[in-house]
Each structure stands twice: as structure tokens, then as C-alpha cells.
Amino acid sequence: MKISEFSKNTIKLTTGISIAQLIPVLITPILTQYFSPEEFGTYGLYVSIYTILGIISSGKYDMAIMLPKNKKDSVNLLALCFTLSICFSLLIFFLLFFLKNLLFEKTQLSLFKTYYWIIPFSILLFGLNQSILVWLNREKKYNTIAEHNLLKSSSNSLSSLVLGIKSISSGLIVGNILSLLLTSFFNFLDLLKTIEISFINKKTIKKNFHLYVNFLKYSTISNLFNSLSSLGMTALIVMFFGIKMAGLYFLAEKLIAIPISFITNSVSQVYFQKASILFHSNKKELLDLTTLIQKRVLFILFPFLLLISFFGENIFSILGENWKDSGGLVKYFSVFILFKNMYSPISTIGDVLGKQKLLLIFNISLFCFQIGSFYFLKHYNDIGIALLTASFFGAIHYIFLSLYMRKSIH
């Protein structure tokens, strides 16, 4: 396998993701005319909660699907992921059922009282889709993955737009659920084409459960804290600065993340498959590939983020006067976005190298520094100071992590 094949597979995914992400970029300026910052804040909180919990719903055994040489073991790992995701979602459902009144009193959001069941349902769909995508990645079904990215993005954006036009205040959340359902349906159809159900048996599932138990013991907690630090920022802002400010941040972060994901998401999926092979066959080539990816991401993202930092308010004012402040927030967290996304494409190297314990410590530390930044600086009543401080500590964390991982490849 040569680098050219890596580039070819990356282009397949990048093309699909670029088209998929272009849709919300075009529709967001329209959505901001129908949904308020508060509604975007509620939507951002919902997305943060189900994504953070959905990422760990399978006990992170989804990351192990790529590793076995034997296809039978991978199939049973996938079955294990499905089982754990279902059990985890049921657990969250019962927890929210008993806590719904308390959460409603704290937030005054109907999401936590009348519609609390939406969260565990979304967690389940997200967890199942996440595991299936790893399986399709293992099978090198890059065109299929690209098509599903396009389906998810277009269905989410278009349904949200229709619901917004009809003045349905929860349209953003409903649109997201519809896209999850549609994507899940087609994911399962493609899964059935590539899987041997007869391979699945309790004995093999149990064997792989114990063989890859470090993913459950370390990666679950590690990814939880990692998700809290990257996706939980909206929830932190709700806690310390209110739902409106959370909406302004969520939109800014979302629009910044869209063009960046053109590169990082597609590279990350192909890199995981490539790194899993090179780690056993050619570590020098793996190190060269890792370094090359990070350099290219730096050269692309630095001028982009510099431009957004200086002219963010002018750019975001296109969305309407209510959203001008979103652009003003970008300069406070752009340095974190830069170094986080330099590491993001090669983030699976930690699992390939078996550094789950280190990643656990890293993610706990990152989360503690970020929540500490908000907690100790809240009395200034200035979100800019808190965001800038959290961003600085986050950047330092990712710089050291990138250096350590590259050194560990030797």
C-alpha cells in the first residue's frame, strides 16, 4: 500500500464531505432568520449532550473494530457495540425520567421535561451509526461513507429549513432527529451487504470483550472527557453565561468547524485504516505520514483562522445584526481550534499505539483546565476572558500531545 492510495481514499471522502458541508453553509444564513440565538443555544445543548454520550455509548469498542486481522472478530465486536449502545441508551432514558423535573427547574427548557426521551433516542442512533461507519471504514467503503455524510447533512439542513419556515421553534432538533433516522436506515442497509451475521456468537463476543477491555476501562472515560472539553463548551456557557450566549458561541463554532472538517474528518478516517497497517509493517513511513498531515493542516488552517479572527464580526453580520457577536467570539478560541485540528486527523494514533491510559490523563487534565477557566473567571462577567484562557490551556495540551505521539511512533 502506497501513499498514493491514502491520498486517493482521502480525496473520495473529502469530496463527499465537502459537498455535504456546503449545504449547511448555504442554509445557515437562512436559518438564522427563522431561529433565535436562544433556539440555537437549546439546539446546541441538545447536540452536545447526545453527541458526548453517544461517543461513549458502545464502551469505545467501536475503535477496536478496525484492529483484528480476523473478520469474524470484527463482526462480533460490532455486535458487542450494538448491544452496549442499546443498554446505555436505556440507562440514560431512565436517568432522565427520574431527573427531568430537577433539570427543568435548573434550565427552564422543555427539552428536559416534555421531550427528554429525544436525548436517549438520539444517543442510540448516534452510537449505532458510529459503529457502522468504523465497519464501513474497515471494509474501505469510502464512497458509501461519503454518500451517507451527504445524506445526513442535506436531510438535516433541509428539514430544519422547512420547519423553520413553518415557525416550529423546535425545528432544529426535529430536523436533526429526522437526519439521524434516515442515515441509520441506509447505514443498516449497507451494513447487511457486507456482514456475515452467521459469524456472531456469544463466545466470540465474550472473548473480544475481554481482549479489548482497555477500550472500555480507559478509552470510555478518556473520550468522555475529550468530548466534554471539545463539545461540552456549549453546556459550560449555558451554565455560566446563559442560553443566548451559548447560541452565539454554538453558531460561531459550527460555522468554523464546517470548512475545517473538509480536511480533518476525511483524513482521520483513512489515516486510522492506514496507521493500523503501517504500525506493524513500516513505522518510519507512519511517522512521515503523520508529520506530513500535521504540517499541511497547519499551512491551511493558520491563514484561515487568522482571517476569521480579524474580520469575524463583519463576516457574521451577514447573518443578521443578532449574530454579529458570534463573529466577535471567534478570536478568543481560534488558537485552540488550530492546534486541536492539527491533532484531530491523526488522533486515532493513540489507539493504534495503545496509549489509552495517557489519553485518559490528557483528557481529564484538559477538561479540568477548561472548566476551571470558566469557573474562576465567571465573576468578570466577560465570556471573552474565559474563552481565551480556556483556549490557551487547550492549545498547550494539544501541542504536547502531538509531540509525544510522534515521538512514540519510533
Side-chain angles (χ1 to χ4, degrees), residues 306-318 323-331:
L306 193 65
L307 178 68
I308 296 295
S309 295
F310 279 106
F311 301 103
E313 290 187 2
N314 294 328
I315 295 172
F316 277 77
S317 63
I318 298 173
W323 299 98
K324 185 177 181 180
D325 291 339
S326 284
L329 293 177
V330 174
K331 60 179 174 288

Side-chain angles (χ1 to χ4, degrees), residues 147-163:
E147 289 168 2
H148 291 180
N149 284 329
L150 177 59
L151 175 66
K152 181 181 178 181
S153 177
S154 58
S155 59
N156 189 1
S157 299
L158 294 175
S159 56
S160 296
L161 177 59
V162 171
L163 293 168

Side-chain angles (χ1 to χ4, degrees), residues 160-281:
S160 296
L161 177 59
V162 171
L163 293 168
I165 293 173
K166 291 184 175 294
S167 300
I168 298 175
S169 60
S170 58
L172 292 170
I173 294 177
V174 175
N176 188 272
I177 294 173
L178 290 175
S179 72
L180 284 173
L181 282 169
L182 193 60
T183 307
S184 299
F185 175 75
F186 285 101
N187 270 340
F188 273 99
L189 287 181
D190 287 310
L191 173 65
L192 292 174
K193 297 175 184 177
T194 60
I195 197 172
E196 293 288 341
I197 298 178
S198 60
F199 284 172
I200 302 173
N201 63 77
K202 292 181 180 179
K203 185 177 179 180
T204 309
I205 290 176
K206 186 176 180 180
K207 181 195 77 172
N208 283 284
F209 175 87
H210 291 291
L211 182 61
Y212 296 100
V213 73
N214 275 353
F215 285 93
L216 176 63
K217 290 166 61 177
Y218 302 112
S219 294
T220 301
I221 301 175
S222 176
N223 278 268
L224 174 61
F225 279 96
N226 177 261
S227 300
L228 285 170
S229 62
S230 58
L231 300 170
M233 194 71 77
T234 302
L236 285 177
I237 295 174
V238 170
M239 290 170 56
F240 295 111
F241 294 96
I243 195 72
K244 180 179 180 179
M245 192 60 69
L248 294 172
Y249 169 82
F250 176 75
L251 185 75
E253 197 277 334
K254 178 185 176 183
L255 289 182
I256 294 298
I258 286 173
I260 292 176
S261 67
F262 290 174
I263 307 165
T264 58
N265 287 356
S266 51
V267 173
S268 178
Q269 292 181 54
V270 181
Y271 177 84
F272 187 21
Q273 192 275 338
K274 176 82 170 177
S276 300
I277 297 173
L278 288 180
F279 177 69
H280 299 289
S281 61

Side-chain angles (χ1 to χ4, degrees), residues 377-393:
L377 297 173
K378 64 180 179 180
H379 62 276
Y380 286 104
N381 201 30
D382 185 350
I383 190 175
I385 296 175
L387 266 180
L388 184 61
T389 304
S391 177
F392 170 77
F393 284 123

